[in-house]
Amino acid sequence: MTMSAPPTGVVPPVCTPLTPDREVDVPSLVRLVDHLVTAGVDGLFVLGSTSEVAYLTDRQRTLVVETVVRRAGGRLPVLAGAIDMTTPRVLDRARAVTEAGADAVVVTAPFYTRTHPAEIARHFRLVAQGCGVPVVAYDIPMAVHTKLPAELVLELAGDGVLAGLKDSSGDEGAFRRVVLGKRAEPGLAGFGVLTGSELTVDSALAMGADGVVPGLGNVDPEGYVRLLRACREGDWERARAEQERLCGLFGMVTAGDPTRMGGSSAALGAFKAALHLRGVIDCPATAEPQIPLSAAETERVGKHLATAGLL
Amino acid sequence: MTMSAPPTGVVPPVCTPLTPDREVDVPSLVRLVDHLVTAGVDGLFVLGSTSEVAYLTDRQRTLVVETVVRRAGGRLPVLAGAIDMTTPRVLDRARAVTEAGADAVVVTAPFYTRTHPAEIARHFRLVAQGCGVPVVAYDIPMAVHTKLPAELVLELAGDGVLAGLKDSSGDEGAFRRVVLGKRAEPGLAGFGVLTGSELTVDSALAMGADGVVPGLGNVDPEGYVRLLRACREGDWERARAEQERLCGLFGMVTAGDPTRMGGSSAALGAFKAALHLRGVIDCPATAEPQIPLSAAETERVGKHLATAGLL
Amino acid sequence: MTMSAPPTGVVPPVCTPLTPDREVDVPSLVRLVDHLVTAGVDGLFVLGSTSEVAYLTDRQRTLVVETVVRRAGGRLPVLAGAIDMTTPRVLDRARAVTEAGADAVVVTAPFYTRTHPAEIARHFRLVAQGCGVPVVAYDIPMAVHTKLPAELVLELAGDGVLAGLKDSSGDEGAFRRVVLGKRAEPGLAGFGVLTGSELTVDSALAMGADGVVPGLGNVDPEGYVRLLRACREGDWERARAEQERLCGLFGMVTAGDPTRMGGSSAALGAFKAALHLRGVIDCPATAEPQIPLSAAETERVGKHLATAGLL
Amino acid sequence: MTMSAPPTGVVPPVCTPLTPDREVDVPSLVRLVDHLVTAGVDGLFVLGSTSEVAYLTDRQRTLVVETVVRRAGGRLPVLAGAIDMTTPRVLDRARAVTEAGADAVVVTAPFYTRTHPAEIARHFRLVAQGCGVPVVAYDIPMAVHTKLPAELVLELAGDGVLAGLKDSSGDEGAFRRVVLGKRAEPGLAGFGVLTGSELTVDSALAMGADGVVPGLGNVDPEGYVRLLRACREGDWERARAEQERLCGLFGMVTAGDPTRMGGSSAALGAFKAALHLRGVIDCPATAEPQIPLSAAETERVGKHLATAGLL
């Protein structure tokens, strides 16, 4: 499948199931792909934060892309993160994931090093020049410690550098400036604006977003598919009810004790515990050095599933 | 050469000379090693921030370590950064640099992902378990956005997890707590405490630090060697005069226009311009997407060299 | 007028017009109140960020409250910021603004000093105990550098400590958790949840927010009143169109050159320039040490007004 | 006493003793002044962070200045913080403390509001113009969230705007740039450069600092006076031994449980507990909403005093 533009609709960031000794659990990953595709999602995003990309070795990253691309079988597009610190390393990662079959790459601003707006722009231009597939900008200040300005995103989109935006900044005002800036430029019709804010998807779609990349969509893809459908049909009451149910379910990320573990351990631990409890994956392990959920914390995740009718 | 403990004394973080098309310039790198070794430094640190580690591909990183290790020829130890986001990726990097001949690895706290003190401790413990060489902690909050607490460093040193600390935090009060904590524990005699703060080396050595990792030491290694010698001889006046001269020379990092480029471009651009002007390396290029110094900015670097008697 | 609960609906944060020598311009302030009341707003919020509270002396703050309360004349409630660093100083400010006639006080977490979640909770409890009017929590991490957790807000609301929330954090996911948490507790029916995010008011009201505190509402109060009405009538298309027009108008905050001035100078400078151009206030001056807009920058503000049909 | 320049030497930031109901405890404050003056300090700094300035009402602030000025009786200069958010409010505070007898005012960059380097410069210029006493810049990024650049400090000093710097940034490299910049300009001979970093005073004085403002100097002023004397005599070994003893004593700030309270509660709680245990002040209470030390935590403070031979 060739992709001339980034996918729209529901594009879950696919969790990476691990074995107890932290290898990629390929059979579980295949089942997770089936779980998502069967639910009717529109695309798959691998090697993002929810995939634990920061924890996977290059070999594991390639295995993940190959496994998901093969199972997707061209039925829906696969985007892959090319997550690394600066331009030359990102280009290496982009090459690896496209050779493994990804249809587009998702790229952040430089991190670890000190950077500057002019360097961020140069980075995206060089990455787009150097890789033969569409580039989606990944705005994730929590990870890279800079925010992509709406004006820069629109400028790069207008110049054909960016094919889309995955906005995980949580800044809905800035997100709306991108949506409205796109609408004001007929040449940007093919630019895909996706939100990563899984608790305000109805709002983002009402504003005019093209799609959503919901981490919680691993656990309840049907919910996000129904939510998208309700929005597309203009049934905002039904959309809101579905979103509110998903907000309740999202409460599972507070199951882990924050005095004992970081936010990544708690959120990814909860998603994986839920996938394990639902029978999709064989083992809820997260990668090192994340702290595992305790039995009691896992039980709290189960209660959230039960309340949402997912157990 | 085997290293039972991290080196002490002057251990410059070696710049990575690049060709105009951004390949590792091996002959220039060899000359840079000679420039440093001839000056009398005590060890070499490759693949740190000053080496543009964040910008080098894995292939280039390996080439750098191999080149420097070969040229050092066992005359002095070579530490290498194993800089990546989390434990599994750091272990991969540690394997690569030790196979290429590094005597010890330098490792930061996790970055890009959200983390937690308990996860940081677990990270260092797992890295030390998994790699067969001494591990030096790299405290660099500017890059990873967390600070290693003095208490954690001492605890990990006491447990044999860490062989040393390279402190680039700029927090001299916390640095002193580590120095004093080490002195209070006879078992920590072999633990090496190195400062990365190149403008306060006389202070750090007076406090009891074991050594220094000065980026500016690429440009003027003799200066830091003299500074160290003066400190070891207890001639604090001479040490101060030498340090103050080096502080003046360090002014070169302000040559680059901060409205046009980031701090990394300006500092590394100045160091490389100075090495080029001094005839050590063939080309002053920094890696993408850094912004190059202009001719006028390079001229200002030259004036700093001239003032310091280095041209 | 007594206020048993914080107002709902459109509650603009009232700008503080100044004379050329930076005194409170009382006649202009009176005209601004009339401008807002005539447009049909539901309440007035004085001494918030948009009022330049951080720049007004205590004497000026009192004059502002007295002027606005007198002109409001009981027709609509007046909330006033009691903005200071910690509990004892906030209590002093709360006393001053309530003596001047404010119906409720708006209070942030401690700032300037290092704080802790337990201290933030204690702060709000002590402030509520010590002042005889309703307390509205002001969540403004950009100013105080901590975020009020949704759980804490709900806990304090449940205990009768807080009468409302003014959320200027821009974190719509967390805002929604408060809205849904309120709905789940019948005892919280009187708790008022107001958003300060003026670009996503349709979203916030669709989620169930009780009202909005839009800085831009100084310039175009009729726009926000129409927006609220459309939302209350469930006409989301009309609401969205109105909000999008207001998003365009908001572009005026980019008129000021960001290399020359800070975000506060640019945003408040633009609002005041617009009020001056519309003939509401006599002088567009902002308080010291803010940088004034140039003539060319003011002209750009004027173009935004013209485009929006407000000149 | 008139002060043509800010004091040099040991200038402790004076704690503000409180009664159990959080009023200023004037008799204890008088005893604390005597405790410091008797020890031989060179000046007194009231209404800084260590004085809990952020927690004191305007009435209490005035009472503190009047009490300390009266007791100092012209024997040594008294500097006072004029700590508030922006220029007009700082000028009000400067007027109040100078009317109460302060010899100089200590002023931070704007806070709470968003600011910009050009606005920070304008702020200090306007404050200096508007108040008839010397202005000392207070560089405290932890509180105000911006760092004063060394270049700006030197420019303002050269223009006669600033009479001194109190540097609590902990950035010793930048501090040294100010010290060296001062030395390079004969016109800056009267500019006083004081460090607030109480754990590296020997280093700062060796670099050429004019003095120190040590919070721990409340507890052990004799120690800092001895440390200063040793430095002035060039006896760096004795200075280092004294500083290391004081570093050990400083460990008292870790007595408070950091999961239960913030850093301000722990540090100021420890200093006040120590002053209480030493019999200088009547009550160890800190202002609201700080969390008090428990009996066990206070006992740990006592052990630090005993180890240092101060009980």
Side-chain angles (χ1 to χ4, degrees), chain D residues 177-267:
Chain D
R177 286 212 300 279
V178 175
V179 169
L180 295 177
K182 168 190 167 174
R183 201 186 298 159
E185 277 295 332
L188 293 187
F191 182 70
V193 185
L194 309 175
T195 180
S197 297
E198 60 221 303
L199 304 184
T200 55
V201 175
D202 54 343
S203 305
L205 292 170
M207 285 178 196
D210 300 299
V212 54
V213 186
L216 186 64
N218 283 277
V219 177
D220 190 6
E222 289 88 354
Y224 280 98
V225 168
R226 282 194 300 269
L227 169 51
L228 178 79
R229 199 177 308 131
C231 291
R232 292 223 166 130
E233 294 170 2
D235 187 344
W236 300 109
E237 292 305 318
R238 210 171 87 230
R240 183 155 48 252
E242 187 68 45
Q243 175 68 81
E244 290 179 357
R245 194 186 58 79
L246 289 163
C247 288
L249 182 62
F250 188 76
M252 70 171 58
V253 308
T254 64
D257 177 354
T259 68
R260 215 170 55 80
M261 68 182 71
S264 178
S265 297

Side-chain angles (χ1 to χ4, degrees), chain B residues 35-108:
Chain B
H35 168 68
L36 299 171
V37 172
T38 306
V41 304
D42 302 288
L44 298 170
F45 170 39
V46 296
L47 304 186
S49 302
T50 303
S51 316
E52 295 173 87
V53 66
Y55 301 86
L56 301 175
T57 64
D58 288 347
R59 181 181 56 74
Q60 292 176 324
R61 290 182 179 192
T62 296
L63 178 55
V64 164
V65 179
E66 287 174 348
T67 302
V68 172
V69 166
R70 187 177 313 121
R71 190 66 176 189
R75 292 174 293 169
L76 74 182
V78 177
L79 291 77
I83 307 301
D84 218 311
M85 302 173 220
T86 64
T87 316
R89 293 184 65 82
V90 167
L91 282 169
D92 259 17
R93 296 293 88 224
R95 203 166 298 120
V97 298
T98 52
E99 282 173 14
D103 297 298
V105 294
V106 185
V107 172
T108 72

Side-chain angles (χ1 to χ4, degrees), chain A residues 49 53-58 61 83-89 92 108 110-116 118-119 122-123 126 138 140 142-145 258-265 267 288-292, chain B residues 49 53-58 61 83-89 92 108 110-116 118-119 122-123 126 138 140 142-145 258-265 267 288-292:
Chain A
S49 303
V53 67
Y55 301 86
L56 300 176
T57 64
D58 288 347
R61 289 181 178 192
I83 307 301
D84 218 311
M85 302 172 221
T86 64
T87 316
R89 293 184 65 81
D92 260 18
T108 72
F111 56 91
Y112 185 85
T113 189
R114 286 178 290 168
T115 190
H116 182 276
E119 296 168 8
R122 188 175 174 120
H123 172 67
L126 289 166
Y138 193 174
I140 184 164
M142 193 167 55
V144 304
H145 301 277
T259 69
R260 215 169 55 80
M261 69 183 71
S264 178
S265 296
E288 295 288 2
Q290 291 174 93
I291 308 287
Chain B
S49 302
V53 66
Y55 301 86
L56 301 175
T57 64
D58 288 347
R61 290 182 179 192
I83 307 301
D84 218 311
M85 302 173 220
T86 64
T87 316
R89 293 184 65 82
D92 259 17
T108 72
F111 56 91
Y112 185 86
T113 189
R114 287 179 289 169
T115 188
H116 181 276
E119 296 167 8
R122 188 175 175 121
H123 172 66
L126 289 167
Y138 194 175
I140 185 163
M142 193 168 54
V144 305
H145 301 276
T259 68
R260 214 169 56 81
M261 69 183 70
S264 179
S265 297
E288 296 287 4
Q290 291 173 95
I291 308 287

Side-chain angles (χ1 to χ4, degrees), chain A residues 1-310:
Chain A
M1 166 170 203
T2 55
M3 191 184 72
S4 57
T8 58
V10 176
V11 185
V14 185
C15 282
T16 306
L18 299 176
T19 64
D21 56 351
R22 268 68 173 188
E23 267 309 319
V24 176
D25 177 349
V26 171
S28 287
L29 180 54
V30 165
R31 280 201 302 279
L32 177 52
V33 169
D34 291 349
H35 168 68
L36 298 171
V37 172
T38 305
V41 304
D42 302 288
L44 298 171
F45 171 38
V46 296
L47 303 186
S49 303
T50 303
S51 316
E52 295 173 86
V53 67
Y55 301 86
L56 300 176
T57 64
D58 288 347
R59 182 182 56 73
Q60 291 176 327
R61 289 181 178 192
T62 297
L63 179 55
V64 164
V65 179
E66 287 174 347
T67 302
V68 171
V69 166
R70 188 178 312 120
R71 191 65 177 189
R75 291 174 292 169
L76 74 181
V78 177
L79 291 78
I83 307 301
D84 218 311
M85 302 172 221
T86 64
T87 316
R89 293 184 65 81
V90 168
L91 282 170
D92 260 18
R93 296 292 89 226
R95 203 167 299 122
V97 298
T98 51
E99 281 174 16
D103 297 297
V105 294
V106 184
V107 172
T108 72
F111 56 91
Y112 185 85
T113 189
R114 286 178 290 168
T115 190
H116 182 276
E119 296 168 8
I120 295 172
R122 188 175 174 120
H123 172 67
F124 281 110
R125 290 182 186 280
L126 289 166
V127 168
Q129 261 171 43
C131 80
V133 297
V135 174
V136 175
Y138 193 174
D139 190 19
I140 184 164
M142 193 167 55
V144 304
H145 301 277
T146 54
K147 167 93 184 83
L148 294 181
E151 293 68 31
L152 176 61
V153 170
L154 290 167
E155 175 196 317
L156 294 174
D159 291 351
V161 169
L162 295 181
L165 169 71
K166 193 228 156 177
D167 186 338
S168 296
S169 72
D171 182 339
E172 304 302 312
F175 181 76
R176 192 166 212 162
R177 287 213 297 281
V178 175
V179 169
L180 294 178
K182 169 190 166 174
R183 200 186 299 160
E185 277 296 329
L188 294 186
F191 182 70
V193 185
L194 308 177
T195 180
S197 297
E198 60 220 301
L199 305 184
T200 54
V201 176
D202 52 344
S203 305
L205 292 171
M207 284 179 198
D210 300 300
V212 55
V213 186
L216 185 64
N218 283 277
V219 178
D220 189 7
E222 288 88 353
Y224 281 97
V225 169
R226 281 194 299 268
L227 170 49
L228 177 80
R229 197 177 310 131
C231 292
R232 293 219 167 133
E233 294 171 1
D235 187 344
W236 302 107
E237 292 305 317
R238 210 172 86 230
R240 183 155 49 250
E242 188 67 46
Q243 176 68 79
E244 290 179 358
R245 194 186 58 82
L246 290 163
C247 288
L249 182 61
F250 188 76
M252 69 170 59
V253 307
T254 64
D257 178 355
T259 69
R260 215 169 55 80
M261 69 183 71
S264 178
S265 296
L268 300 181
F271 292 167
K272 286 185 150 184
L275 285 169
H276 182 232
L277 290 167
R278 295 200 72 192
V280 180
I281 68 175
D282 282 342
C283 165
T286 51
E288 295 288 2
Q290 291 174 93
I291 308 287
L293 296 193
S294 68
E297 290 165 341
T298 300
E299 203 180 309
R300 287 163 64 188
V301 172
K303 281 184 187 155
H304 278 283
L305 286 177
T307 302
L310 295 174

Side-chain angles (χ1 to χ4, degrees), chain C residues 22 49 53-58 60-61 83-89 92-93 108 110-116 118-119 122-123 126 138 140 142-145 258-265 267 287-292, chain D residues 22 49 53-58 60-61 83-89 92-93 108 110-116 118-119 122-123 126 138 140 142-145 258-265 267 287-292:
Chain C
R22 268 67 173 189
S49 302
V53 67
Y55 301 86
L56 301 176
T57 64
D58 288 347
Q60 291 176 325
R61 289 182 178 192
I83 306 302
D84 218 310
M85 302 173 219
T86 63
T87 316
R89 292 184 65 83
D92 260 17
R93 296 292 89 224
T108 72
F111 56 92
Y112 185 86
T113 190
R114 288 178 289 170
T115 190
H116 182 276
E119 296 167 8
R122 188 175 175 120
H123 172 66
L126 289 167
Y138 193 175
I140 184 162
M142 192 169 54
V144 305
H145 301 276
T259 69
R260 215 170 55 79
M261 70 183 71
S264 179
S265 297
E288 296 287 2
Q290 291 173 94
I291 308 287
Chain D
R22 269 65 173 190
S49 302
V53 66
Y55 301 87
L56 300 176
T57 64
D58 289 346
Q60 292 176 325
R61 289 182 178 192
I83 307 302
D84 218 309
M85 303 172 218
T86 63
T87 316
R89 293 184 64 83
D92 258 17
R93 295 293 88 224
T108 71
F111 55 92
Y112 185 85
T113 190
R114 288 179 287 169
T115 189
H116 181 275
E119 296 168 8
R122 186 176 176 119
H123 172 67
L126 289 167
Y138 193 175
I140 184 162
M142 193 168 55
V144 306
H145 301 277
T259 68
R260 215 170 55 80
M261 68 182 71
S264 178
S265 297
E288 296 289 3
Q290 290 173 95
I291 308 287

Side-chain angles (χ1 to χ4, degrees), chain C residues 73-152:
Chain C
R75 290 173 293 169
L76 73 182
V78 177
L79 291 78
I83 306 302
D84 218 310
M85 302 173 219
T86 63
T87 316
R89 292 184 65 83
V90 167
L91 281 169
D92 260 17
R93 296 292 89 224
R95 203 166 298 120
V97 298
T98 51
E99 281 174 16
D103 297 298
V105 294
V106 184
V107 171
T108 72
F111 56 92
Y112 185 86
T113 190
R114 288 178 289 170
T115 190
H116 182 276
E119 296 167 8
I120 294 173
R122 188 175 175 120
H123 172 66
F124 280 110
R125 290 183 185 280
L126 289 167
V127 168
Q129 261 171 45
C131 78
V133 297
V135 174
V136 175
Y138 193 175
D139 190 18
I140 184 162
M142 192 169 54
V144 305
H145 301 276
T146 54
K147 168 93 183 84
L148 294 182
E151 294 66 32
L152 176 62

